[in-house]
Amino acid sequence: MPYSFCPRCAARLTPRRLEGRSRPVCPDCGFVDYNNPLPCVGVLALDCGKVLLVKRAVEPFKDYWDIPGGFLESDEHPDAGARREFLEETGLHIEPGEALGFFVDIYGQDQEPTLNICLLARVVGGEQHAGSDAADLQWFPLDGLPDRIAFNWERRALDMLIERLRGAGR
Ligand SMILES: [Zn+2]
């Protein structure tokens, strides 16, 4: 969410034209609020044409189905973040593969811009159980996905996966 006040010196930010965009700038210390997207990772684990989704136990999108994943830590490679988040939410270990794609979206009440790295993966071990902020876990066939998918980018990613597998003749 864009700042109203400078996070460094608390002066009120004022819009200024910079690099072709209007951006909130601090008139006192020069801080610029770029409002860059936060990097997130989402994991599409595939097994026999089915994909594992998590039912969210918390807002936003409580009770909607979600692609396992979350925000990256400040020093975390997306592969490591994918392994960590997937294990936390599903109890399963994965081997991350290639990226399906990259998706820009907006998160939560604060309208936080996010950059979602969607990785394909396969499960390599562990014991499946829903993590603390998950109400349920289910493997869905790609032609039988639930209607209530949590985030806008996830719908786009699932559609892209379906298109890609169709193109591969499966
Ligand atoms: Zn300032």
Side-chain angles (χ1 to χ4, degrees), residues 18-48:
L18 273 182
E19 295 146 1
R21 286 187 184 226
S22 174
R23 305 179 195 272
V25 176
C26 177
D28 290 354
C29 77
F31 169 83
V32 181
D33 178 10
Y34 287 98
N35 197 30
N36 297 111
L38 293 171
C40 304
V41 65
V43 180
L44 287 174
L46 280 168
D47 187 24
C48 300

Side-chain angles (χ1 to χ4, degrees), residues 8-20:
R8 283 194 200 142
C9 75
R12 181 178 282 281
L13 301 179
T14 55
R16 194 190 296 169
R17 194 105 190 133
L18 273 182
E19 295 146 1

Side-chain angles (χ1 to χ4, degrees), residues 39 71-82 84:
F71 291 96
L72 291 178
E73 299 288 356
S74 59
D75 57 354
E76 194 171 47
H77 189 282
D79 285 351
R84 175 182 57 76

